[in-house]
Each structure stands twice: as C-alpha cells, then as structure tokens.
C-alpha cells in the first residue's frame, strides 16, 4: 500500500518490533513509526466512552462545527508554536511536523472545545451562520426549511445577536424559540 508513516497511540509501542519484522520478512520498506501519548479524560484516565461523545457524528449532533473539532483534535498532543490555539486547516496541513508532538498525554477538555467552537461560530459571516442555523431551527420544529429560508432577512438581522452567545449550534433553538411563538 506504499505506507510511509504510521502514527498511532503509544499503547501500540510494544507490538511495533513484531510489525517491523513482518515488513522486513516480506521485503517491504519499513515505514516510519511515531507513537503519540494517549488522550486522557478530565479525570486523568484514558479517554473512553464514559467521557462523552465517541464519534465524529456524535460531536456533530452535539452542535460542534467540523472545523472547530478538527482544530481542537489537532492541538491534542501537538502545537503550532506553543501559543496559537485557532489554526486554520490550511495552516495545520502546512505546519504539521512530528517534531512538535508532545511527549505528555493530552487531556480532552470539553470546556475548551466549547470555547473553540464558540470562536469559530462568532467568526462566521452572517450568511454562513444563518445557513448553519436553519437546520437546527427546523430540527427544533420552529419551521420548515422553506419557511425559514423565506424569513432569511429576518434571520440575518437576528444572527449577530445569537452568534455572540452561541457555543454550540444546539444552543440556538432554545435561545430563540420564544421569537417563533404565537403568544
């Protein structure tokens, strides 16, 4: 498969010598192996299902933006310069190097992920925010996509107020549902 690098958790360190022997026995080039420290939960134990969301879909359903989740995950055990926290995907791709990986285990902090997601939401232009907002409003039963699209100008006027107070996309419907009530 022409794999050149294998980057995985340090819990696989013990089986690496055997895998190298298999590559050599088959006459294939041995890839570079890099082992990252495990990610821990806030309780200091290995991250697992009991700590919360376990799949990309679960994070999406909890209102996290893909770009915020990518940024957060990239900074678990790696840093651009030790200070920068908001790193666009292009910069992540251009700047990633194994030399900047931390030897210490990273701690998955949901509060920091909430904060980072909020930053991405606040930096979104109003048109994009409304486009992201409409499915969440529809899911909450506040209107159909067509009805909400027909009120796009009103939603655009509402966007700056809502965007400033939103950490997750799931925050939007409870925050504005009274505006959709008949009473």
């Amino acid at each position: 498969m022409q794999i050149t690098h294998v980057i995985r958790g340090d819990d696989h360190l013990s089986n690496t010598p055997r895998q190298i022997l298999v590559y050599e026995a088959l006459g294939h080039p041995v890839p570079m192996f890099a082992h990252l420290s495990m990610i821990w939960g806030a309780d200091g134990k290995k991250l697992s299902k009991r700590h919360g969301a376990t799949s990309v879909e679960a994070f999406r359903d909890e209102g996290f933006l893909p770009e915020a989740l990518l940024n957060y995950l990239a900074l678990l055990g790696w840093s651009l310069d030790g200070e920068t926290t908001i790193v666009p995907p292009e910069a992540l791709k251009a700047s990633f190097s194994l030399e900047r990986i931390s030897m210490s285990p990273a701690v998955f902090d949901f509060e920091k992920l909430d904060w980072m997601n909020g930053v991405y939401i606040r930096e979104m232009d109003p048109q994009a925010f409304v486009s992201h907002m409409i499915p969440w409003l529809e899911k909450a039963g506040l209107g159909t996509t067509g009805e909400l699209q027909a009120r796009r100008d009103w939603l655009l006027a509402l966007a700056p107020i809502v965007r400033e107070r939103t950490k997750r996309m799931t925050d939007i419907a409870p925050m504005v549902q009274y505006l959709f009530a008949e009473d």
Side-chain angles (χ1 to χ4, degrees), residues 8-9 11-21 33 35:
R8 58 194 181 173
D11 55 331
H12 290 282
L13 195 56
S14 62
N15 59 33
T16 302
R18 282 180 286 178
Q19 292 169 348
I20 290 172
L21 290 174
F33 286 89
H35 294 87

Side-chain angles (χ1 to χ4, degrees), residues 56 64-75 85-90 92 113 116-117 119-125 128-129 132 169:
V56 173
F64 292 102
L65 299 173
E67 51 274 20
L69 184 60
L70 172 67
N71 189 154
Y72 183 76
L73 293 175
L75 295 178
T85 53
I86 305 300
V87 187
E90 304 79 32
L92 286 171
L113 177 57
M116 188 174 286
N117 200 60
V119 170
Y120 274 88
I121 289 171
R122 286 187 296 280
E123 290 179 354
M124 208 182 284
D125 75 63
F129 180 72
H132 278 81
M169 298 305 290

Side-chain angles (χ1 to χ4, degrees), residues 8 24 55 62 164 179:
R8 58 194 181 173
E24 290 172 345
S55 69
E62 290 181 17
E164 287 303 312
L179 296 171

Side-chain angles (χ1 to χ4, degrees), residues 2 9 24 44 46 50 58 60 75 116 125 134 155 175:
Q2 299 178 340
E24 290 172 345
K46 189 172 134 183
R50 74 176 176 278
R60 179 201 57 214
L75 295 178
M116 188 174 286
D125 75 63
I134 287 174
L155 291 172
M175 193 183 313

Side-chain angles (χ1 to χ4, degrees), residues 46-55 62 110:
K46 189 172 134 183
L47 192 66
S48 67
K49 291 178 185 179
R50 74 176 176 278
H51 291 101
T54 57
S55 69
E62 290 181 17
F110 276 94

